[in-house]
Amino acid sequence: MKRYHQPKKYTAVDQNPKAIDYNRKTHGALGIDFRIGDAQALDFPAGNFDAVINIEASHCYPRQDAFFKSVYRVLRVGGHLLYADFRTPADAPQLDRDIADAGFQIKSKTDITSHVLSALQRTSEGSRKLVHGFTPKILHPVMETFAAVEGSGVYNSFVNRERIYFSYCLVKAMD
């Protein structure tokens, strides 16, 4: 994002201090402000950001509703949350309720599951080689599932539509 869209300011947040340290060392030259933080309780002033990006993380948050409310608070009026993640068909309606309850307007919502599957097909062999090259054999099945390589449980859950991958463009219309 920083390279291609050249925002004036870019802040990245993660709860893991080791991830922040790694990214500061690896990407420090890009001028990104890497901070330890919680996406469910963003520690920034209200109206601080024009855009927030969250990709494939919120399904792990214990309080998804708090995440959307926190992002809404830190966006300026007219700001966008660019968001992509997967849910089960049973959990998808709650996702839309949490988005609406936070105050967001949905500018676009797209089921991108077929695109995700296409990407996983193209990258599966490389991901499998990385898993086998960097992890002990006993962990191969778990790591292949994490990487969603072809044939894994996660991969098959997208094929069988037990998980649906959505992409949203959300807008903060007013305070």
Side-chain angles (χ1 to χ4, degrees), residues 83-139:
Y83 171 79
D85 211 336
F86 58 86
R87 293 293 186 279
T88 67
D91 291 337
Q94 184 63 51
L95 175 63
D96 284 337
R97 282 192 295 275
D98 289 342
I99 288 167
D101 289 349
F104 284 106
Q105 290 184 350
I106 298 175
K107 187 173 180 179
S108 67
K109 174 185 177 183
T110 309
D111 176 343
I112 60 169
T113 309
S114 64
H115 302 289
V116 170
L117 280 167
S118 178
L120 291 172
Q121 290 163 358
R122 287 192 310 275
T123 61
S124 278
E125 194 52 42
S127 295
R128 186 175 280 114
K129 285 178 183 177
L130 285 171
V131 164
H132 290 212
F134 288 100
T135 62
K137 188 173 184 175
I138 194 167
L139 294 178

Side-chain angles (χ1 to χ4, degrees), residues 11-166:
T11 303
V13 176
D14 196 301
Q15 283 187 310
N16 185 339
K18 289 181 181 180
I20 294 298
D21 288 342
Y22 173 83
N23 281 302
R24 283 179 180 155
K25 290 174 190 165
T26 306
H27 305 292
L30 292 173
I32 299 170
D33 179 17
F34 291 100
R35 295 188 186 193
I36 298 168
D38 181 352
Q40 300 165 106
L42 292 166
D43 188 21
F44 298 96
N48 194 60
F49 295 103
D50 294 322
V52 172
I53 300 163
N54 185 282
I55 304 201
E56 203 174 293
S58 73
H59 69 275
C60 296
Y61 301 159
R63 297 267 337 271
Q64 173 184 278
D65 60 329
F67 158 68
F68 286 110
K69 288 174 183 170
S70 181
V71 171
Y72 190 88
R73 185 187 65 75
V74 301
L75 281 173
R76 68 166 175 77
V77 173
H80 290 78
L81 170 57
L82 307 172
Y83 171 79
D85 211 336
F86 58 86
R87 293 293 186 279
T88 67
D91 291 337
Q94 184 63 51
L95 175 63
D96 284 337
R97 282 192 295 275
D98 289 342
I99 288 167
D101 289 349
F104 284 106
Q105 290 184 350
I106 298 175
K107 187 173 180 179
S108 67
K109 174 185 177 183
T110 309
D111 176 343
I112 60 169
T113 309
S114 64
H115 302 289
V116 170
L117 280 167
S118 178
L120 291 172
Q121 290 163 358
R122 287 192 310 275
T123 61
S124 278
E125 194 52 42
S127 295
R128 186 175 280 114
K129 285 178 183 177
L130 285 171
V131 164
H132 290 212
F134 288 100
T135 62
K137 188 173 184 175
I138 194 167
L139 294 178
H140 290 180
V142 172
M143 295 307 295
E144 285 184 9
T145 295
F146 179 78
V149 299
E150 280 187 272
S152 70
V154 171
Y155 178 88
N156 290 335
S157 72
F158 289 122
V159 169
N160 300 327
R161 306 270 311 159
E162 295 163 0
R163 293 182 193 194
I164 303 167
Y165 211 117
F166 297 103

